[in-house]
Amino acid sequence: MKCEVVAIGTELLLGQIVDTNSSFIGEQLAMAGIDSHHQTKVGDNHERMVAVLRHALARSDAVICCGGLGPTQDDITRAAIAEVMGVELVRDEAIAERIRAMFRGRGRSMPENNLLQADVPEGAQINPAMPGTAPGLICPLTGEHAGKVIYAVPGVPWEMRQMLAEGVLPDLQRRSGFSGVIRSRILRTWGQSESGLAEQLDDEIRRLDATGDATIAFLASGWEGLKVRITCKAASEPEADAALDHEEAVIRRIIGDIVFGVDADSMESVVLELLRTRGQTLAVAESLTGGLIGSRLTGVPGSSDVFRGGVTPYDRDLKRELLGCPDVPAVSEEMAIAMARGVCRVLGADSGIAVTGVAGPTQLEGNEPGDVWIAVQHAGRTDSRFLKMPFDRERIRQFTCIQSLDFLRTRILASG
Amino acid sequence: MKCEVVAIGTELLLGQIVDTNSSFIGEQLAMAGIDSHHQTKVGDNHERMVAVLRHALARSDAVICCGGLGPTQDDITRAAIAEVMGVELVRDEAIAERIRAMFRGRGRSMPENNLLQADVPEGAQINPAMPGTAPGLICPLTGEHAGKVIYAVPGVPWEMRQMLAEGVLPDLQRRSGFSGVIRSRILRTWGQSESGLAEQLDDEIRRLDATGDATIAFLASGWEGLKVRITCKAASEPEADAALDHEEAVIRRIIGDIVFGVDADSMESVVLELLRTRGQTLAVAESLTGGLIGSRLTGVPGSSDVFRGGVTPYDRDLKRELLGCPDVPAVSEEMAIAMARGVCRVLGADSGIAVTGVAGPTQLEGNEPGDVWIAVQHAGRTDSRFLKMPFDRERIRQFTCIQSLDFLRTRILASG
């Protein structure tokens, strides 16, 4: 059973709206165990829409059309589907009355063109869910495409999601006869390149290719690190979850503690949780990053019970005045260490992170852009590290942020 | 000249990454005056990728392939394009050496499979921009598709954007034979809704529809405000720029100082520049935002001559200990004002921004999530403002950041 997605709307092609609907539908199809090999975006143009639908039906068993079901002239999905089905649009009086009733219910007078939404292709069924004024359509095909189906859902996300869950996915699973489940899990990693990870996991990937126990995919996410996605198919949820647990353990044995989290974990949420379970607090001194680390930490709900605060002594003198740092070069190991100790002392925190460096584009006191000193204070000990990054300003700051959080993470784990 | 976009990656179909690249490319094509009628997503599968490329070439003159240029087994875009071109992959030694040099430059050892990125289809040209280790490709076709072209760019957004601007769009415009110039300018606005702006500009938009002097488009960008894009076509650059200057002046007369910047300006770069020209310095005290404002300010190159630094007294006591704030409620006008004055005094700055509030998800001292007090100190005067935002944690923090910077911006302008 193959189902593809066709997102309709010129505004999608112009990039005025990012097509998150197709991503959501694709994820739902995958979770439902339905193969989805193609997604297409096409504008509000009758001929092109018809051609795209015919091409999709030629290679897939089902097509989900998203958008173009509204009451305006450029909402032409109904007409395009009717042409592909080889039928006319007919006014569905029951739907027309539901639309009138919705407007009455909201105490609003109904512009006549809203009834265009009640004109559906002859032979189309109506999606049981109708949260808005646009009905969703289930359109079984005949002739050369007999046995195939086109679903039409609105582009309004909350309407689409309800129709997908209550009307489309159940119908698709009935048709596909697939009774199993598919589960995925993401391992978040930091500190290894995509090619390096692929080499480390090469044997395991070959083994899985042979056994089909699971599939592994890499998702490079820039300064968010590299994600390793494990996907398992099984007859039941418990079996799928057990297979995921097993495969996660295998992979962790191979790549070790570069895995910092799972699924929704972020580097900052993991660091906060490690300190929380140890009853410890955190403070940050950010010169280079100017508040980025604190901003990410405080983006995590409940961070206030671990994160005491931060100081950004961007001006040179403030490193001394606010944190009592000695008169050493602004970008130096001594300065980073003094900042880490200083911020823990001044803000009364158990652990501290300090960064100082050059974001560029120009040199600073003889240091190149990308030259960064990081220091972390934890369990009464201060460790420091030098980074040299051939990046632009934004990435130098972002990598420094994650790198410094990961530095503290590994120090916490090492200190038990 | 028709150009379509093919985004490659199974993770896109599975919805684990939202395909923002295609949206960006679509916008760039539209602004360059190149028609783009279709966008397709396909997974990391050789046969399907080849079929999608052939189908795209059958209906368009050019195809931009995004993704699948990395060094791992599932990066097979190069091979798929080679098959469509009917040629072999050949090792480009110059590229291979560039890749080796990049790893040397970062002081890292290079996993051998990185050199796979140097295997390009015979006859392909290399995109002049190569910000990462994956070269971009310009692949002219022969035979039935003679005169058509496939461009391959990486899925890493910053690499894709640079290659698009420096390699793809110029080549497309040469091929399209468009002799005139199209210039666009973005007016950055804050504080007005899209429908409100559309109403204010309704007459002008009608006038432009009639005269064709220019076109106006609105791009809602969430907490980055609302962008008004002016586009003018002309025979020469000077004429196009003159038309843009004229239209910008007309629009500014209508919508006034909600326009905070132009094109690459950001709210933070504008505030820094306003202070720089007045020879003044800035400090921030961030409770709610935890460093977000300082992080945005220091993201601007050269901010160090205006931005002295910041203090994040996330813990209640630190507001008193670090900034000498009185013992008033943490989320109150008095506290915000005391923080703004305190941070200017302690950090020795002329101007200051202070924010304190509740990001949620839970209440704090009887304040609802989204209750925020902002204070700005400028020209010896302190002003405060209360915000109530029915948003989630992330948007509360981001809107507070922009709102507080805009608050200072308008105060600076008002004080002359």
Side-chain angles (χ1 to χ4, degrees), chain A residues 13-14 23 26-27 39-41 195 202 219 229 290 294-295 298-299 308-310 312 314-315 318 393 395 397, chain B residues 11 13-16 26-27 39-41 113-114 158 290 294-295 298-299 308-310 312 314-315 318 393 397:
Chain A
L13 294 175
L14 295 176
S23 307
E27 183 181 59
Q39 292 184 358
T40 309
K41 283 182 246 178
S195 50
D202 192 40
L219 311 177
R229 185 186 69 232
S295 159
T298 55
R308 289 200 37 90
T312 296
Y314 213 58
D315 180 89
L318 292 177
R393 185 179 181 92
R395 286 190 303 148
R397 289 158 42 88
Chain B
E11 68 277 14
L13 295 174
L14 294 174
Q16 291 181 323
E27 185 184 52
Q39 292 185 357
T40 309
K41 286 181 244 177
N113 59 1
N114 273 275
W158 61 274
S295 158
T298 55
R308 289 200 37 91
T312 295
Y314 213 59
D315 180 89
L318 293 179
R393 185 180 182 93
R397 288 158 43 89

Side-chain angles (χ1 to χ4, degrees), chain A residues 111-338:
Chain A
E112 267 308 303
N113 62 0
N114 273 274
L115 291 184
L116 292 177
Q117 299 174 116
D119 296 342
V120 303
E122 201 165 3
Q125 300 144 29
I126 305 301
N127 189 305
M130 187 168 157
T133 59
L137 306 176
I138 301 175
C139 307
L141 289 137
T142 56
E144 61 171 320
H145 297 313
K148 300 188 173 186
V149 59
I150 299 175
Y151 303 96
V153 294
V156 181
W158 59 278
E159 294 185 20
M160 175 276 289
R161 291 176 185 220
Q162 190 180 337
M163 289 190 188
L164 191 71
E166 298 175 21
V168 178
L169 292 176
D171 189 72
L172 268 172
Q173 285 196 307
R174 266 195 304 278
R175 293 168 181 270
S176 69
F178 175 78
S179 57
V181 293
I182 295 184
R183 285 283 176 277
S184 280
R185 185 174 300 167
I186 302 271
L187 302 186
R188 304 288 311 271
T189 77
W190 179 259
Q192 175 61 285
S193 70
E194 180 168 6
S195 50
L197 261 189
E199 270 183 26
Q200 281 185 288
L201 290 170
D202 192 40
D203 293 348
E204 176 62 5
I205 290 170
R206 290 175 197 283
R207 189 185 71 77
L208 293 175
D209 286 346
T211 63
D213 294 347
T215 59
I216 294 179
F218 302 111
L219 311 177
S221 308
W223 55 67
E224 298 306 328
L226 205 103
K227 298 171 182 167
V228 178
R229 185 186 69 232
I230 313 167
T231 305
C232 297
K233 280 192 182 188
S236 69
E237 290 193 20
E239 288 174 68
D241 291 337
L244 281 180
D245 293 341
H246 172 76
E247 192 55 37
E248 176 181 345
V250 171
I251 292 175
R252 281 179 181 266
R253 270 198 300 278
I254 299 171
I255 62 178
D257 76 355
I258 67 166
V259 177
F260 67 81
V262 175
D263 289 335
D265 290 342
S266 63
M267 185 66 83
E268 55 269 26
S269 70
V270 167
V271 167
L272 287 167
E273 189 55 28
L274 285 172
L275 290 171
R276 182 177 289 115
T277 57
R278 290 161 174 75
Q280 296 181 318
T281 58
L282 175 64
V284 298
E286 308 185 56
S287 185
L288 172 80
T289 47
L292 187 58
I293 303 172
S295 159
R296 287 192 62 142
L297 288 163
T298 55
V300 180
S303 50
S304 55
D305 57 1
V306 172
F307 184 66
R308 289 200 37 90
V311 170
T312 296
Y314 213 58
D315 180 89
R316 203 184 185 315
D317 300 342
L318 292 177
K319 294 177 173 65
R320 185 185 71 256
E321 294 168 15
L322 295 178
L323 300 176
C325 295
D327 186 19
V328 296
V331 181
S332 65
E333 180 169 28
E334 301 81 344
M335 183 63 86
I337 290 174

